[in-house]
Amino acid sequence: MWTVVFVSQNKPKVDKMLEVLGEKKILTMLKVSSEDDFGDGTSYEILVPKTELEMAQEIIFETEMKSK
């Protein structure tokens, strides 16, 4: 089962998260929506297998903290 772990409209940020998760050998899938629920434009969802969710969340949190 695939689970959403990250959502953004910022494509460069999504690409960075995909890169970081890939480096840590986390299997990912990218889902692109041409319009989000609010009609604000393209949104991107990164999905991971449910078995890797906790590890992916930790990696994303650490990456976000480093970028601030």
Side-chain angles (χ1 to χ4, degrees), residues 25-39:
K25 308 294 188 226
I26 302 291
L27 190 60
T28 60
M29 182 176 8
L30 179 63
K31 182 178 173 186
V32 180
S33 173
S34 59
E35 261 192 41
D36 63 14
D37 292 339
F38 304 103

Side-chain angles (χ1 to χ4, degrees), residues 21-64:
L21 290 168
E23 288 172 357
K24 300 291 185 175
K25 308 294 188 226
I26 302 291
L27 190 60
T28 60
M29 182 176 8
L30 179 63
K31 182 178 173 186
V32 180
S33 173
S34 59
E35 261 192 41
D36 63 14
D37 292 339
F38 304 103
D40 291 340
T42 304
S43 62
Y44 305 90
E45 294 180 351
I46 297 176
L47 297 91
V48 298
K50 191 173 183 177
T51 56
E52 298 184 4
L53 178 61
E54 189 174 321
M55 176 72 77
Q57 288 172 328
E58 290 176 17
I59 293 167
I60 289 171
F61 177 77
E62 289 173 8
T63 303
E64 288 283 287

